[in-house]
Amino acid sequence: MSLSLISGAGTLLGAVMVFCLPLEKVMPYLVGFAAGVMSAVSFLEIIPASLQLGGAGALFLGGSAGILLLFLADIFLGHPAVNLRASYKRLGWLLFIGIALHDFPEGMAIGAGGSVAAELGIFLALAVGIHNVPEGLINAAPLRLGGLSPATILRLNALLSLVTPAGTFFGLFLAHRFHLLIPPLLALAAGAMLYLVAKELTPRMMRKKGAAGFVIGFLTLTALLLHIH
């Protein structure tokens, strides 16, 4: 649990980094970077893990649920705003939901792995902590451009940083009782993030010529995942 708390804190660290950047200039690249990060995590980590642990059925059911959940959140937040500030605020909230859905099953993986072997739990906590940093960055950036105060952004990301340890606690419980739920929950996270990539991030990235950010984000997360594994 202590390692999981440290891993979750990576999200807050990423949010703090946002206040050191000229966001108006780098935001198109950050949007592309977010799309690259989420695509790499989904295709190279979460989807293979879900398939390996639960098969195609769990992947399909969980992925469909994740897409549906973000679709409903999209409807709840209303139509895309014409005002740029409101548009960024809306994007920030969608990213907040998507990242939370992603961090919870990752925390569960730390708990489940740690229940099998302490070394595996430590390894997973390190892996999650490293890529929580860019997640905090890409969540906080649109919220800042959307007009939220620094204190509010930090509070939201502090809350987001607790999702990983909450998932770890739940994972420790599931590891002994309902471990079959882990694969579809992983797929749910992948479905939610890929919905965000396709529906929100890629169109913004292409309009603002931020494709270089996508390449950097995808390659960065790929290198991290290869190094960790």
Side-chain angles (χ1 to χ4, degrees):
M1 285 300 298
S2 298
L3 285 169
S4 183
L5 282 166
I6 295 171
S7 294
T11 305
L12 188 57
L13 174 61
V16 171
M17 292 171 60
V18 162
F19 302 105
C20 307
L21 297 172
L23 284 187
E24 289 77 9
K25 293 182 180 179
V26 302
M27 192 59 200
Y29 303 104
L30 284 179
V31 168
F33 185 81
V37 166
M38 289 187 166
S39 297
V41 168
S42 296
F43 285 117
L44 301 180
E45 183 182 30
I46 300 179
I47 290 175
S50 179
L51 270 174
Q52 182 179 3
L53 293 172
L59 177 63
F60 176 77
L61 289 174
S64 300
I67 292 170
L68 178 61
L69 191 58
L70 261 290
F71 175 74
L72 293 175
D74 217 348
I75 293 174
F76 177 77
L77 289 170
H79 296 293
V82 291
N83 179 284
L84 187 60
R85 172 174 283 197
S87 176
Y88 274 129
K89 185 177 180 181
R90 183 177 184 278
L91 174 62
W93 280 114
L94 283 171
L95 285 167
F96 181 89
I97 296 168
I99 291 171
L101 290 172
H102 165 224
D103 284 354
F104 190 77
E106 279 194 335
M108 288 170 55
I110 294 173
S115 71
V116 174
E119 294 80 5
L120 180 57
I122 293 169
F123 166 81
L124 289 168
L126 175 64
V128 171
I130 288 173
H131 76 251
N132 273 355
V133 176
E135 287 178 359
L137 176 66
I138 61 180
N139 173 242
L143 290 176
R144 182 184 169 197
L145 288 176
L148 271 68
S149 69
T152 300
I153 292 171
L154 291 177
R155 280 197 296 269
L156 285 170
N157 278 273
L159 180 64
L160 197 57
S161 72
L162 295 176
V163 174
T164 296
T168 298
F169 181 80
F170 194 54
L172 288 167
F173 174 76
L174 286 182
H176 300 289
R177 292 172 177 82
F178 306 106
H179 60 278
L180 292 177
L181 286 176
I182 294 177
L185 283 172
L186 286 169
L188 184 146
M193 287 198 295
L194 292 176
Y195 176 92
L196 278 174
V197 170
K199 171 69 167 48
E200 295 287 337
L201 298 177
T202 299
R204 290 171 184 266
M205 174 185 73
M206 299 308 293
R207 284 199 303 268
K208 300 293 183 177
K209 299 180 180 179
F214 179 93
V215 175
I216 293 170
F218 194 93
L219 292 179
T220 299
L221 258 290
T222 300
L224 282 173
L225 292 172
L226 288 174
H227 179 71
I228 289 166
H229 291 299

